[in-house]
Amino acid sequence: MSTAPQLVVHRDKELMAQAAAARLITRIVDAQASRGAASVVLTGGRNGNGLLAALAAAPARDAVDWSRLDLWWGDERFLPEGDPDRNVTQAREALLDAVPLDPKRVHAMPASDGPHGDDVEAAAAAYAEELAAAAGPENHGPVPAFDVLMLGVGPDTHVASLFPELPAVRETDRTVVGVHGAPKPPPTRVTLTLPAIRAAREVWLLAAGEDKARAAAIALSGAGEIQAPAAGAYGRSRTLWLLDAAAASQLPRSLYPPASA
């Protein structure tokens, strides 16, 4: 069942990153208090990495029990391990290397020089198996019920590596697929599908900058998910759009939240 999106609009991207980091710390601490552990799906891109850098600098970061946090990824560039363009490489630089995570709970997507070689479909299937193994009976499905799943929104409305009209956004059965011919480099990627995204308790969509304004307006104005994948990304209990003023500049006033920081 779709949850109606909630919007929070911040003055600029720096404030957005800091506020989102504080919000994420609170969610993780709450989840750990209620269930003993927390699971978060990270996103790459400038907004995802900006949030991680803000989290690394946040005084409250030590409130998190990093050893009881599972980290997953929404998508990954299918490149060799350690490649600077891989989301996990950028995440390690922004935050992960600075906090005491349990390496067994950092679930990076396979690299193109990993055990599956350059077979992106085998890499996607392996990640789907890893997700299924982590899902408990209470999750009612083949992926864990992530506490927070974060997605950057592209100027074309893509989220993760689900691009408008491409086969991956039409997938209804598999939780992870390989992507060929992505319209932005590199063309080969691994991505969660919309069914996997929708298993999350909360889905947060991050958009900052004027180049994201049209995408946000389209996705929030009733577009279909095949043409606007961001429109199909929602959580089971909450869907949160975190925007800066520039990204929110084309939203209809009816959508604009009455009170935003």
Side-chain angles (χ1 to χ4, degrees):
M1 188 183 74
S2 169
T3 51
Q6 298 172 291
L7 278 65
V8 180
V9 180
H10 296 284
R11 187 175 61 245
D12 55 45
K13 67 182 181 189
E14 289 79 19
L15 194 60
M16 183 187 106
Q18 292 162 8
R23 190 183 290 271
L24 184 60
I25 289 169
T26 300
R27 269 309 278 117
I28 292 170
V29 170
D30 286 350
Q32 290 178 336
S34 62
R35 285 187 303 280
S39 61
V40 171
V41 180
L42 300 181
T43 183
R46 67 172 190 251
N47 292 321
N49 290 323
L51 185 154
L52 293 182
L55 209 166
R61 82 176 201 196
D62 294 335
V64 171
D65 183 342
W66 296 98
S67 69
R68 292 189 292 133
L69 177 65
D70 281 283
L71 293 179
W72 303 87
W73 271 263
D75 74 320
E76 186 55 276
R77 288 98 184 249
F78 198 53
L79 296 167
E81 186 70 42
D83 189 290
D85 284 338
R86 272 175 64 82
N87 288 333
V88 66
T89 309
Q90 296 172 8
R92 290 189 190 285
E93 191 174 308
L95 171 70
L96 308 193
D97 287 345
V99 291
L101 291 158
D102 178 349
K104 296 191 293 295
R105 301 182 88 151
V106 178
H107 307 274
M109 287 181 162
S112 62
D113 58 354
H116 314 287
D118 60 3
D119 185 345
V120 70
E121 302 302 337
Y127 204 67
E129 287 176 19
E130 191 172 351
L131 283 163
E138 72 280 4
N139 298 140
H140 308 296
V143 299
F146 311 112
D147 292 295
V148 176
L149 182 148
M150 295 182 288
L151 297 166
V153 179
D156 60 354
T157 73
H158 84 266
V159 289
S161 285
L162 302 175
F163 293 91
E165 306 283 356
L166 289 192
V169 77
R170 302 175 187 270
E171 181 65 45
T172 57
D173 296 323
R174 291 178 293 171
T175 57
V176 189
V177 294
V179 175
H180 305 271
K184 59 180 286 192
T188 308
R189 296 155 175 256
V190 179
T191 187
L192 298 189
T193 60
L194 287 176
I197 288 168
R198 293 168 185 162
R201 292 182 174 91
E202 297 193 12
V203 170
W204 298 2
L205 296 108
L206 313 175
E210 287 180 18
D211 61 325
K212 306 296 178 73
R214 185 168 175 272
I218 291 170
L220 285 163
S221 298
E225 63 196 37
I226 305 300
Q227 294 76 31
Y234 47 81
R236 292 191 310 177
S237 62
R238 193 179 201 198
T239 306
L240 192 61
W241 279 73
L242 301 172
L243 306 139
D244 73 349
S249 61
Q250 294 184 29
L251 293 180
R253 296 307 300 180
S254 59
L255 285 175
Y256 218 89
S260 292

